[in-house]
Amino acid sequence: MTDEQLLRYSRHILLDALGIEGQERILATHAVIVGAGGLGSPAALYLASAGIGKITLVDDDTVDFTNLQRQILHTQARVGMAKAESGKQALQAINPEIDIVPLQQRLSGDTLDALVATADLVLDCTDNFATRHAINRACVHHRKPLVSGAAIRFDGQISVYDLRRDDSPCYHCLFPEGDDVEEVRCAVMGVFAPLTGIVGTMQAAEALKLAAGIGESLSGRLLLLDALDMEWRTVRFKKDAGCAVCGPSGSVRSGEYLRQPAANHESADGACRLG
Ligand SMILES: [Zn+2]
């Protein structure tokens, strides 16, 4: 580490659990953040400020005036700009020494697969069910840890799927695809601004712990927040032995999942269907 890095990250280095070694692991990490909206904004800001060495920030959308209430990566001056590029500018202003790769595109199929293959961890900060499942399949296939958050109205949720481990449940174990639940259209839903900050910041915390290799992750636990009453609930869950994605007969093992239809990506505030 350079003298400047020792200073910049000194408050991390002072943490006994983290120290220089943990910070070095953070600096060597490539995180992929899918979605530069309400959840992706705080997640990206903390990962960048804390020195994640490389961040790929993916979003196919542009900054809209209605985003500014909660999507704190973006500014009024950057309305109309690609969110990935606007996000890059915000992150670079805080930490110019890390590598930030903006990707303005829908992630699906081979592109998603190739990107996840190069990642050390993936943050799902998207807002629709199809993309969430596509990201999960790629993470299962490549055995990458997935930090998943969602926020709508006053309801938030967060969990970690540590797919490096054989016994770890995947997103599909918890929220099976094809469950006949109506997906609410995010574009017209209300979202309490700091709720996205709370959940996105917790995603950053879990991602940094995974990167540094410290603590106990949320694997196997889903945290649910009711921000109106400010009450947290924990739901424990296990791997579904018959899961169509991570189970022994799952399509992901054969690579068949790459031929499934592309997701209809909308970036904003996390899944509107909270499960
Ligand atoms: Zn599964």
Side-chain angles (χ1 to χ4, degrees), residues 26 39 48 57-58 73 84 120 125-126 143 146 168 172 180 182 191 196 200 218 221 223 235 246-247 262 270:
I26 289 171
L39 301 172
L57 186 62
V58 189
L73 271 178
D120 295 303
C125 301
T126 64
R143 293 183 169 271
L146 170 61
S168 166
H172 190 279
D180 218 7
E182 196 182 337
V191 188
T196 58
L218 277 174
R221 287 181 290 154
L223 294 189
V235 176
C246 70

Side-chain angles (χ1 to χ4, degrees), residues 136 140 168-174 239-240 243-247:
N136 179 60
V140 169
S168 166
C170 81
Y171 183 76
H172 190 279
C173 292
L174 188 59
K239 183 183 175 92
D240 172 7
C243 176
V245 173
C246 70

Side-chain angles (χ1 to χ4, degrees), residues 63-84:
V63 180
D64 182 84
F65 192 66
T66 61
N67 300 150
L68 301 177
Q69 164 247 21
R70 67 205 174 281
Q71 300 185 16
I72 57 175
L73 271 178
H74 313 301
T75 64
Q76 188 160 335
R78 296 203 288 267
V79 167
M81 183 184 290
K83 283 188 183 179

